[in-house]
Amino acid sequence: MGRLAQTDGLTEIQRDILATVRDFVDKEIIPVATELEHKDEYPTAIVEGMKQLGLFGLTIPEEYGGLGESLLTYALVVEEIARGWMSVSGIVNTHFIVAHMINAHGTQEQKDYFLPKMAAGEIRGAFSMSEPGLGSDVSAISTKGVKDGEFYVLNGQKMWLTNGGTSTLVAVLCKTDEGGSSPYKNMTTFLIEKTAGFGPNPTVPGLTVPGKIEKMGYKGVDTTELVLQDVRIPADRILGGVPGRGFYQMMDGVEVGRVNVAARGCGVARRAFELGISYAQQRSTFGKKIAEHQAIQFKLAEMATKVEAAHQMMVMAARKKDSGERNDLEAGMAKYLASEYCKEVVEDAFRIHGGYGFSKEYEIERLYREAPMLLIGEGTAEIQKMIVGRRLLEEYKIAE
């Protein structure tokens, strides 16, 4: 396995979980990932395998049928899965965010109804905040929910839903205009159950998932739009039962999601390093293996240092969240560092492969197309730096 990206202080249970997932990745994901990715084919067999391992319920409390593990355990599992194929980690990420939001903010009825089914993988979640013209300005959402008796009528268009077609539960952020002058108190999260598939939804009149968005990478997993036209949702499907709390619920979910994206960056970078150092010991130029050239050794040293630094930053952010402390500073740092380092490590591995790195026969070609998504997912580098900068000014504010 190598000495990089090791985590101190894990329990025996955590080590066993990670060993099981690592074995699953090596046997069930890596051998088929590139073929499935090139076909843009949903990894049905892999998802079934993850259900059997209990990964969809990894962090859901035991009382609801889950394993009750920490965010750290989950992040380390995601790192292993992303090392095999980043798209597979995306399938569990949005599911986990929705499960976390329900567990942290849902009513008891919502927990009792959704969490056991989510733990078993029977219900799989998607997370819907972004819109076509929204970008990072969440306060500018235009999808609206209007109260109508015991229902809310939803209208609008959402964008960039991971698992938008294959999911059966979507947490959708809408503007509800019931919280006064602050835009952040006028947002509400609705839990919408639907049938998996594309086109007009047969069980939710007015809800449409138009189809998959074609992407340069991050294939296999479906990324979609979500169109809502007079969709009627019962008021008891408001997350937490009270309108106006949606922004804060979503930000809590995004905060955990940033740790997840950092973990994905760590996993992809580690795989790129493995491919690069392996190829460097096989390819010969000027009469010796390229790993013996100082220029390549320097590159490998830089790559390994970045893999290690990103991993330890990600672990710190996960542990901070698990402790119950505020972790937006650490999560922002981890997501920023891991995604940027991932891009750099993948590019260096690509360079080590030379012309062969440009061939679809080599795995590094896939990683080269996957890494850019991490630069924008769960908030761009610029957003992370803005969050980190503001928090630092809070922490180091001078007395006036």
Side-chain angles (χ1 to χ4, degrees):
M1 188 174 68
R3 65 183 295 170
L4 291 183
Q6 299 299 300
T7 310
D8 293 333
L10 297 181
T11 66
E12 185 176 349
I13 292 175
Q14 288 174 313
R15 290 194 296 270
D16 287 345
I17 290 172
L18 291 174
T20 300
V21 172
R22 191 176 300 119
D23 185 63
F24 178 78
V25 168
D26 287 339
K27 292 179 179 178
E28 306 296 334
I29 298 182
I30 289 177
V32 300
T34 296
E35 180 184 356
L36 292 176
E37 197 272 348
H38 287 165
K39 293 179 179 178
D40 197 7
E41 183 177 326
Y42 187 78
T44 303
I46 293 173
V47 171
E48 287 302 312
M50 292 195 299
K51 282 172 64 175
Q52 292 174 17
L53 291 176
L55 296 187
F56 286 100
L58 188 63
T59 61
I60 293 173
E62 293 181 17
E63 63 190 284
Y64 300 111
L67 297 179
E69 277 296 326
S70 63
L71 175 61
L72 174 62
T73 306
Y74 178 77
L76 295 174
V77 165
V78 165
E79 181 180 26
E80 292 294 341
I81 293 173
R83 173 181 157 268
W85 183 12
M86 193 185 75
S87 293
V88 178
S89 65
I91 291 171
V92 293
N93 178 38
T94 53
H95 175 86
F96 164 68
I97 290 176
V98 176
H100 168 80
M101 289 170 61
I102 292 173
N103 187 51
H105 306 287
T107 65
Q108 191 59 53
E109 180 188 0
Q110 290 167 351
K111 294 177 186 180
D112 291 341
Y113 177 77
F114 286 113
L115 292 181
K117 295 181 176 68
M118 297 185 79
E122 295 171 9
I123 288 181
R124 296 216 294 274
F127 174 85
S128 180
M129 182 170 63
S130 188
E131 296 181 2
L134 185 60
S136 299
D137 182 11
V138 182
S139 66
I141 67 167
S142 59
T143 298
K144 197 160 186 176
V146 178
K147 198 171 190 314
D148 181 18
E150 296 300 312
F151 289 82
Y152 279 77
V153 180
L154 312 184
N155 282 280
Q157 182 180 5
K158 309 299 282 187
M159 193 71 175
W160 306 119
L161 278 76
T162 301
N163 299 319
T166 50
S167 62
T168 52
L169 172 65
V170 188
V172 182
L173 185 66
C174 297
K175 187 177 179 182
T176 46
D177 290 340
E178 295 178 281
S181 59
S182 170
Y184 301 105
K185 294 181 180 180
N186 281 302
M187 300 184 211
T188 300
T189 304
F190 292 91
L191 301 173
I192 303 178
E193 286 188 271
K194 69 179 187 65
T195 304
F198 300 97
N201 201 270
T203 56
V204 186
L207 185 146
T208 303
V209 179
K212 292 199 300 185
I213 297 170
E214 297 294 327
K215 302 162 293 188
M216 66 178 278
Y218 198 38
K219 294 178 180 290
V221 59
D222 48 294
T223 305
T224 75
E225 300 174 66
L226 182 73
V227 179
L228 305 112
Q229 295 178 312
D230 294 329
V231 174
R232 293 177 64 82
I233 299 298
D236 64 6
R237 284 295 180 258
I238 290 175
L239 178 61
V242 180
R245 298 178 181 174
F247 175 79
Y248 307 99
Q249 295 163 346
M250 285 276 174
M251 288 305 102
D252 183 32
V254 167
E255 198 171 276
V256 215
R258 283 179 180 143
V259 176
N260 174 285
V261 172
R264 285 198 255 178
C266 292
V268 173
R270 181 145 59 94
R271 183 60 180 166
F273 172 78
E274 291 170 357
L275 294 172
I277 198 168
S278 175
Y279 185 81
Q281 296 173 78
Q282 298 171 47
R283 173 74 168 169
S284 296
T285 61
F286 303 102
K288 59 183 178 181
K289 302 296 183 184
I290 64 172
E292 298 175 32
H293 293 290
Q294 190 180 65
I296 299 299
Q297 291 177 7
F298 283 0
K299 202 175 290 292
L300 291 171
E302 292 168 0
M303 292 163 67
T305 302
K306 290 172 182 176
V307 167
E308 186 67 21
H311 173 83
Q312 299 303 337
M313 178 69 80
M314 177 270 291
V315 168
M316 181 185 69
R319 281 183 162 145
K320 179 74 78 171
K321 184 73 172 177
D322 281 332
S323 73
E325 297 180 64
R326 180 177 178 181
N327 88 323
D328 52 344
L329 174 67
E330 291 79 10
M333 285 180 168
K335 193 277 172 182
Y336 167 59
L337 189 78
S339 59
E340 293 292 333
Y341 276 179
C342 175
K343 172 186 70 82
E344 294 169 12
V345 171
V346 167
E347 183 173 336
D348 281 342
F350 176 83
R351 290 172 184 267
I352 287 172
H353 280 74
Y356 289 104
F358 209 61
S359 167
K360 286 192 172 185
E361 294 181 22
Y362 283 74
E363 190 178 340
I364 192 63
E365 178 270 343
R366 169 171 60 83
L367 271 59
Y368 194 76
R369 288 183 290 103
E370 289 178 339
M373 196 285 289
L374 298 172
L375 299 172
I376 53 176
E378 244 67 23
T380 63
E382 290 73 22
I383 289 296
Q384 307 311 318
K385 287 189 278 189
M386 185 174 70
I387 292 168
V388 170
R390 286 175 177 174
R391 286 287 287 115
L392 290 173
L393 287 171
E394 289 178 24
E395 292 286 338
Y396 289 89
K397 186 176 182 179
I398 60 174
E400 296 181 357

